[in-house]
Amino acid sequence: MTQATRLRQATSALKASCHQCSLSNLCLPLAIQDNDLDSLEDIVQQGRIYNRGEHIFDQSSPFRSCFAVKSGSIKTSIITEGGEEQVTGFFMPGELVGLDSMSGETYACTAKTLERTSVCEFPIDKLEELTGKLPDLQHHMYRLMGQEIQNSHQLAMLLSKNTAEERIASLLLSLSSRFQRRRMSPTNFSLPMARNDIANFLGLAVETVSRVFTRFQNQGIIRARGREVELLDVEALQLVTREFSRQGCSQ
Amino acid sequence: MTQATRLRQATSALKASCHQCSLSNLCLPLAIQDNDLDSLEDIVQQGRIYNRGEHIFDQSSPFRSCFAVKSGSIKTSIITEGGEEQVTGFFMPGELVGLDSMSGETYACTAKTLERTSVCEFPIDKLEELTGKLPDLQHHMYRLMGQEIQNSHQLAMLLSKNTAEERIASLLLSLSSRFQRRRMSPTNFSLPMARNDIANFLGLAVETVSRVFTRFQNQGIIRARGREVELLDVEALQLVTREFSRQGCSQ
DNA sequence: ATATCAAATTGATTTGCATCAACCTGGACG
DNA sequence: CGTCCAGGTTGATGCAAATCAATTTGATAT
């Protein structure tokens, strides 16, 4: 092993090994032929490990990279001039954070870890260069960004048309399916975020979130103690999310 | 003029002339060097003229193209299983419609004209191919999609944190600045959409929109008669949008 | 002109959730 | 072991906006 190699491995900006990553079927490698994976590995940087509550990047600071969650979880939020916070998303392993910032020279939001979290960093200039060479990767980026727009539209719809119960049921189901895709239990999981974040994300007061949780619990739909949640009746939850529209087209 | 040329010009899929288009400083050409403009013209199709209320594309139908508004205006909306509509955006000349659909094989929303409207059509496969060749164009697409995500986050914030007055003031100011960028009066314009669409977009009841309009009118902030709007006191409007956060950080 | 129908306005009442306030719970730490 | 404090729960009250209901206005056709 040369000194240079040893040095490179010692720096914090280690190359990540997408080849061996367990998330390669969720993350960017998903879009890439095996023989092109090297070129992705060439640009990716292994980020350091963050403790709970640390900032990955801050709103208004220079936009340099997108980040893929490797383990742990992240919340993104916008801070208004008045100091109000609006949580815009929660991100789980394999998901890409920072796409909304592609519109400018600075980050459009702040990304904060919800627990001990590790990430992979994709410097945006190199990523753009690479997507120019790999049509499949470019296509995947478009897909991801399109999906992000849709998610955001879904959130807007939830906020403008649905009751507190419907919003919370939707969030629980969304988390459930995302845990499932990551080969974790879809009915028995630990919420990565605090009630406060849930409330903020869903446009509710903390008290309301709390009340809905206990109401669901009393109805036997879920069992919750702190952040530990068990979905006892998924169908009932799905029913809740559609309650509004069911009334709209009854008879 | 050869017969072939004459024929080509007679078909509905005429090539658009981006070179001569007055929107070239707003639309995709914005991102392209003059000498590359030809390659954009090669893939763009001049769409037909649509009357008010016609559909440009429908949710769940095969996703083929993005559309740039040439004249007129468009609203996009999602229809839920329950038949509920949620307006997700309004689009003015030079703006690109359909970016949210890049995530899948079908359109994620329905695009409907709000008035007599003409569009340019960009077949998505050709557009992707071209963005692979023109880094500036690719960069611009990323920017546009990132902006779309941000817009949607802003909307979510508006819906979850702001009062009816604040939402409507925001919309009026957004329209105002967009008219201004198009060299139309920022204080004197005609709303392209009905009260109903405004209400739906902002998560309000039509009655509330109506009431806020008259309240603003009585306060001398605007003058409105049907769709004709005059902004009499822009500063007051801006103040309304910040009222919430001002209270949050007073003292 | 007049009829017709959708869009918009205005008023009265209800309601879901925010807000205010008090109290619990559990983990960190001296 | 008790203290502290943030995070969470529960209860009482108020309010902004939805809903229900009735007109009015405006556009299009007859």
Side-chain angles (χ1 to χ4, degrees), chain B residues 6-56:
Chain B
R6 228 177 292 129
L7 184 64
R8 219 180 306 131
Q9 292 197 351
T11 65
S12 66
L14 282 176
K15 252 204 237 177
S17 171
C18 295
H19 279 295
Q20 288 159 25
C21 182
S22 64
L23 297 167
S24 58
N25 60 332
L26 291 167
C27 188
L28 287 184
L30 167 61
I32 296 191
Q33 311 283 357
D34 255 17
N35 50 329
D36 287 330
L37 205 50
D38 290 325
S39 51
L40 187 64
E41 282 194 1
D42 280 340
I43 72 163
V44 83
Q45 289 171 11
Q46 172 79 277
R48 66 179 177 86
I49 291 178
Y50 296 83
N51 286 315
R52 172 193 290 210
E54 284 194 88
H55 290 214
I56 310 275

Side-chain angles (χ1 to χ4, degrees), chain A residues 146-147 149-150 153, chain B residues 88 98-104 108-109 145 148:
Chain A
Q147 189 58 56
I149 299 169
Q150 278 186 54
H153 285 164
Chain B
T88 54
L99 293 178
D100 54 342
S101 305
M102 305 268 295
S103 64
C109 64
M145 296 186 80
E148 195 83 2

